[in-house]
Amino acid sequence: MASTHGGGRRRRIVAATAVTAAGLLLWPGTAHAVDVTTNPTEARQGDAVRLEFTVPEERAGTKTNQIEVRLPADAPIAEVYPMSVNGWAPRISSRTLDKPLAGIHSSGVTTVTTAVTWVRVGASDPGPARLALSMGPMPQAERLTFEVVQTYADGTVVRWADAAGAHRAPALTLLPAAPGAAGRRERRRCGRPAARWWGSCGRWPVPRPRGPGCSRRSSR
């Protein structure tokens, strides 16, 4: 009898564990599509930032061969530079502004980036694509939303552009500028050679070569 009781108890424990596991899998909010994310998620207005986009692979049997990041048109950023990433070559699209912007290395920037498109050109790191832009100064806005267009090798196009849902657009929250930040930026621009400030400041990431097969800006 003791043996039978022990066996029944073990079966009940196993069954309860299976039910608990199934409940966790079905619990609302635990199973969801992976989003395109940014790192960091916050920056300060007027600062420069290295912003990395992580784009998931959602389709089995194929892989992403092109990723386009579209910058917000209503909040242009004076300087945008794609970082070098193994297996990806960036292409920059741009437009001309009616009114110049103050940049980090220039006080009158009239041509700004509208989109950066990375094309797969060889073997890349496994897992989701991690593509980075160095950009600044951050505009006077509370939030920047980026549309991401992901194209798979089989021709499927996924647009990460929704405010909510399965394919939400990645966003960057902008905090108010730190006190005195504008004065410090002006002294840097006027009092130091750009090349020296570029590498020594520590706030503006130094761009590396953009990789094989990359092209210069193209107007849209």
Side-chain angles (χ1 to χ4, degrees):
M1 293 294 293
S3 174
T4 302
H5 176 73
R9 183 180 180 184
R10 282 194 297 271
R11 286 193 294 272
R12 287 195 297 273
I13 292 173
V14 170
T17 302
V19 170
T20 301
L24 289 174
L25 289 174
L26 297 175
W27 187 263
T30 58
H32 56 83
V34 178
D35 294 326
V36 173
T37 60
T38 62
N39 184 30
T41 58
E42 294 182 347
R44 287 195 177 274
Q45 297 171 2
D47 276 3
V49 65
R50 181 187 186 276
L51 188 63
E52 182 178 82
F53 296 84
T54 301
V55 183
E57 294 278 7
E58 293 188 310
R59 296 181 60 81
T62 185
K63 61 183 180 181
T64 303
N65 63 5
Q66 180 174 295
I67 296 171
E68 179 185 9
V69 175
R70 298 176 179 175
L71 281 71
D74 57 349
I77 302 170
E79 300 183 36
V80 178
Y81 304 98
M83 300 289 95
S84 178
V85 181
N86 290 337
W88 296 90
R91 182 176 67 250
I92 302 174
S93 301
S94 62
R95 66 184 172 101
T96 301
L97 299 175
D98 296 330
K99 182 180 179 180
L101 290 176
I104 292 180
H105 304 100
S106 171
S107 59
V109 176
T110 57
T111 301
V112 295
T113 298
T114 57
V116 176
T117 303
W118 280 273
V119 178
R120 191 185 293 273
V121 293
S124 58
D125 297 334
R130 292 180 171 84
L131 308 170
L133 296 172
S134 285
M135 59 178 71
M138 291 291 100
Q140 301 298 308
E142 295 183 352
R143 182 182 176 90
L144 296 180
T145 301
F146 303 86
E147 180 180 354
V148 175
V149 182
Q150 180 181 18
T151 304
Y152 286 89
D154 64 1
T156 301
V157 176
V158 178
R159 298 181 183 275
W160 302 84
D162 301 333
H167 294 99
R168 290 179 291 181
L172 178 69
T173 300
L174 295 182
L175 306 175
R184 289 196 299 271
R185 285 194 299 275
E186 186 63 27
R187 287 195 297 274
R188 281 176 180 143
R189 185 161 54 239
C190 299
R192 296 186 185 180
R196 180 184 173 190
W197 183 83
W198 185 279
S200 63
C201 173
R203 291 164 64 91
W204 181 254
V206 178
R208 297 174 1 229
R210 293 197 298 265
C214 64
S215 59
R216 296 186 180 274
R217 295 178 184 268
S218 62
S219 298
R220 276 188 174 177

